[in-house]
Amino acid sequence: MTTIYRCITEDDTSQFCHRVSEALSKGWSLHGSPTMAFDPQKGVMRMGQAVTKEVAAEYHSDMKLGQQ
């Protein structure tokens, strides 16, 4: 088994929550706490959440993490 990692980022809207919820429904696990930062160029708050997942496949750099 291999642990893979990805970080989901999005403006602070319901879309961020939907993306994290979708990842959880596909077997990903939360990794740490969410983070929030102000994006001065866009004038909005940005959210981030790291997630991990155990997969049977060996990791390779062209792996489509969101499709795992």
Side-chain angles (χ1 to χ4, degrees), residues 21-65:
S21 295
E22 178 183 33
L24 295 174
S25 76
K26 292 181 176 181
W28 291 83
S29 297
L30 298 176
H31 183 76
S33 299
T35 187
M36 178 183 274
F38 183 70
D39 180 343
Q41 291 184 331
K42 291 177 72 178
V44 298
M45 293 301 290
R46 297 276 298 166
M47 299 293 297
Q49 175 64 59
V51 292
T52 60
K53 185 177 184 181
E54 294 288 325
V55 296
E58 185 174 322
Y59 173 77
H60 51 86
S61 61
D62 60 343
M63 196 180 254
K64 302 291 186 199
L65 297 177

